[in-house]
Amino acid sequence: MSEEQKPKKKPRPIPEKIIPHSKDMDATKHRVHPRFVKGKYQNIRLISMYAIFVLFLIAPWIRWNGRQAILLNVIEPKFYIFGATFMPQDFYFFAFVFIIAAMTLFMVTVYAGRVWCGYACPQTIYVHLYQHIEKWIIGDRNKRIKFDKAPWNAEKIFKTLAVHAAWGVISAATALTFISFIVGTDYLFFNGATPFFMGWGKMTWIFFLIITFVTQTNGGYMREQMCVHMCPYGRFQSVMFDKDTLLVSYDYERGEPRGARKKDTHPEGYGDCVDCSMCVQVCPTGIDIRDGLQVECIQCAACVDACNEIMDKVGYPRGLIRYTTERQLVEKQKTKIIGWRIFAYIGVLSACIIAATLVAVGRAPLEMEIRHDRKQISTIGRDGMIENSYVLKIVNKTDQRHVYQVRLDGDNTAGMTLRSRFKELPLQANEPYDLPVSIIGDPSVVQPGSTPITITVYSQDGQYSASAQDVFIYEPKR
């Protein structure tokens, strides 16, 4: 073997298992300028990420029954979601939603790794978009690196301002969209003022500026630092991995020892890795996947597409960097998809989904609560009649106006009469009302002590009714 064919580097040891580690665990800010690559996985990412981004921007503009379809009014507070109205007493329903989302994310992480981070996370979407803006205005990776090192001049100032202006437009659009979910698009854009932002209140302006600033800073500067140092999911995800978790991995046995060579040649003693560093250049967090699994890896598969492209050029098989599992890569065994954990996750998810469905279906369109007046539980009037005072909290949860009435029900209500301030109570859609009522009892008929009573509120059209129980208290003086 000639001197040129001898390997110039010693073979790197093949790890016994994939161990998550970090090459740089300090908080020093290292500017990362990734090279953009094309490929199967990047096409999937583009579709998934920007579909989510566009859906986020248009969601506040979707109408449902004449109202904004998704309106999270925290001031009243009322949440309107596609015709359903959720009030503070309904917020336990959202606990089921959050649990379902968390369990789904955990299950996906166990089997597909950090696929959420690489393909759907808002942080990834904004970083990718902001970096593309830099590419469109400044140029590709080499030009951006050169641009950062260049002294300040008129061209650099102009391009920097152009980048920040483009970022600012996206940040402002993001802030407007977020606020639209809280106060509504009608208030933000159709408030009668010209221009529309002159009709905003002080708090609207404060939140608009805060969200714009946070988005600009996060997407323009924090970038990979958010994933590496701040995101808790990136920290505990390694605990959830096992030998059958699908990860982006470098094939040590096939690739080492690495080294440059001519196209369509494979010098003796070398692996398939040509040490082109393309996998490092395309990584949005700036890591080297060949060093093993790291907490900085968001599994965007940019290194997979880049390596496959290089393998095609040098005439080697694809898959030097690929999605695989530790069981396949290290132990050379078939991945075990079915295990006890999949059944555990499916069981918990199914229970949560069934519970959430039952809660959603069982939501009453009319709700009523009784509060007994605790200051004067029972009083005796000048006419000798006994009076108990109550407050009925009535909530019309429908999306239409209804007129309601109340009546006294029960088997033990002989000698009792219900008195209400209003004979008819008109309530608008999703309107609550506290209605004071009194029950008057005849002491010659009503038994001393606590008598169970039932008060029913019903709509005049007979569609809805709700009942609640309390007690009528009569304590004779001795």
Side-chain angles (χ1 to χ4, degrees):
M1 181 171 58
S2 64
E3 291 295 328
E4 294 182 356
Q5 292 179 320
K6 291 183 179 179
K8 299 178 181 180
K9 299 180 181 180
K10 293 182 179 180
R12 297 181 180 229
I14 300 174
E16 294 183 1
K17 63 182 295 186
I18 302 175
I19 303 176
H21 71 283
S22 178
K23 182 174 60 176
D24 182 10
M25 293 301 292
D26 63 37
T28 306
K29 182 74 173 70
H30 302 288
R31 190 71 168 173
V32 176
H33 291 292
R35 184 188 299 274
F36 294 102
V37 63
K38 297 180 180 179
K40 177 178 70 173
Y41 295 111
Q42 300 317 296
N43 292 336
I44 297 174
R45 289 186 70 219
L46 287 174
I47 294 173
S48 64
M49 289 193 302
Y50 290 104
I52 294 172
F53 183 64
V54 171
L55 180 61
F56 165 71
L57 293 177
I58 67 174
W61 298 96
I62 300 174
R63 310 293 292 186
W64 189 275
N65 292 336
R67 184 194 296 275
Q68 186 172 317
I70 304 175
L71 180 60
L72 311 178
N73 190 336
V74 298
I75 299 174
E76 290 187 359
K78 294 177 184 177
F79 285 9
Y80 305 98
I81 301 177
F82 291 99
T85 303
F86 296 91
M87 297 183 180
Q89 58 267 35
D90 300 317
F91 282 176
Y92 63 90
F93 172 76
F94 292 95
F96 287 110
V97 176
F98 294 141
I99 292 173
I100 292 171
M103 293 302 299
T104 302
L105 180 61
F106 295 158
M107 185 174 68
V108 170
T109 300
V110 168
Y111 290 95
R114 293 179 67 178
V115 66
W116 161 262
C117 297
Y119 293 83
C121 177
Q123 173 71 14
T124 303
I125 296 172
Y126 277 90
V127 170
H128 190 271
L129 179 58
Y130 280 33
Q131 288 175 337
H132 262 84
I133 290 174
E134 287 184 334
K135 177 187 176 184
W136 295 332
I137 296 176
I138 300 174
D140 58 18
R141 179 176 183 269
N142 294 332
K143 289 183 179 180
R144 297 198 303 274
I145 294 174
K146 185 178 179 181
F147 181 83
D148 280 353
K149 296 179 180 179
W152 287 97
N153 52 37
E155 180 185 6
K156 184 170 183 177
I157 293 174
F158 174 78
K159 289 187 176 181
T160 301
L161 291 176
V163 168
H164 281 270
W167 288 354
V169 170
I170 298 174
S171 300
T174 300
L176 288 174
T177 304
F178 266 117
I179 299 174
S180 295
F181 285 113
I182 307 301
V183 301
T185 54
D186 292 341
Y187 169 79
L188 275 187
F189 303 103
F190 308 106
N191 50 39
T194 305
F196 62 86
F197 50 79
M198 295 301 295
W200 295 354
K202 183 186 297 184
M203 293 305 298
T204 303
W205 274 108
I206 291 174
F207 279 100
F208 171 74
L209 294 175
I210 290 175
I211 297 173
T212 301
F213 174 77
V214 170
T215 306
Q216 185 93 346
T217 304
N218 190 24
Y221 293 99
M222 297 305 296
R223 294 186 176 179
E224 71 282 350
Q225 302 298 314
M226 180 68 70
C227 302
V228 175
H229 300 290
M230 299 181 186
C231 179
Y233 178 53
R235 289 296 172 186
F236 70 72
Q237 50 89 20
S238 59
V239 180
M240 306 176 69
F241 291 172
D242 60 17
K243 294 182 178 181
D244 298 301
T245 302
L246 194 64
L247 304 171
V248 174
S249 305
Y250 168 69
D251 192 336
Y252 284 86
E253 292 185 1
R254 176 183 160 186
E256 300 296 331
R258 65 185 79 146
R261 78 287 307 271
K262 294 181 180 180
K263 182 179 179 180
D264 296 327
T265 63
H266 200 304
E268 185 180 349
Y270 280 97
D272 285 357
C273 180
V274 299
D275 206 13
C276 62
S277 76
M278 284 296 295
C279 56
V280 181
Q281 295 181 37
V282 301
C283 180
T285 58
I287 66 170
D288 190 342
I289 192 65
R290 297 171 296 181
D291 291 336
L293 178 63
Q294 298 152 73
V295 296
E296 297 91 339
C297 178
I298 62 173
Q299 291 191 217
C300 63
C303 55
V304 176
D305 287 329
C307 186
N308 285 340
E309 184 178 341
I310 296 299
M311 292 295 102
D312 291 341
K313 290 180 178 179
V314 298
Y316 295 166
R318 290 186 165 204
L320 178 60
I321 301 176
R322 62 185 184 273
Y323 275 110
T324 186
T325 65
E326 180 183 331
R327 194 179 299 276
Q328 284 182 328
L329 185 65
V330 179
E331 300 181 2
K332 311 301 179 185
Q333 298 178 5
K334 188 177 180 180
T335 299
K336 297 180 180 179
I337 299 177
I338 304 299
W340 67 269
R341 285 209 287 185
I342 186 65
F343 294 107
Y345 278 115
I346 290 176
V348 174
L349 271 176
S350 300
C352 292
I353 292 173
I354 292 173
T357 303
L358 293 176
V359 169
V361 172
R363 290 181 68 251
L366 174 63
E367 188 173 279
M368 184 188 71
E369 295 178 3
I370 298 180
R371 296 197 300 266
H372 207 139
D373 188 348
R374 300 300 179 185
K375 295 180 181 179
Q376 284 187 314
I377 296 178
S378 179
T379 60
I380 298 178
R382 293 180 179 179
D383 57 359
M385 303 298 283
I386 310 158
E387 180 178 357
N388 278 209
S389 298
Y390 308 84
V391 175
L392 308 183
K393 184 176 179 60
I394 304 171
V395 184
N396 174 23
K397 290 188 175 182
T398 70
D399 290 327
Q400 296 177 346
R401 179 183 180 274
H402 287 281
V403 178
Y404 296 98
Q405 293 179 315
V406 294
R407 67 170 181 259
L408 180 64
D409 292 331
D411 298 331
N412 303 317
T413 58
M416 299 182 189
T417 305
L418 177 69
R419 292 181 183 176
S420 173
R421 178 180 298 180
F422 307 109
K423 292 184 178 180
E424 296 180 350
L425 179 64
L427 293 181
Q428 301 298 324
N430 305 303
E431 181 183 359
Y433 190 83
D434 290 344
L435 178 65
V437 299
S438 299
I439 296 180
I440 308 300
D442 187 343
S444 63
V445 179
V446 177
Q447 297 295 323
S450 298
T451 303
I453 54 97
T454 300
I455 298 178
T456 300
V457 58
Y458 59 95
S459 60
Q460 282 187 338
D461 57 11
Q463 281 187 285
Y464 308 110
S465 66
S467 299
Q469 288 76 40
D470 208 291
V471 294
F472 182 87
I473 298 176
Y474 172 35
E475 296 177 350
K477 293 183 179 180
R478 298 180 180 179

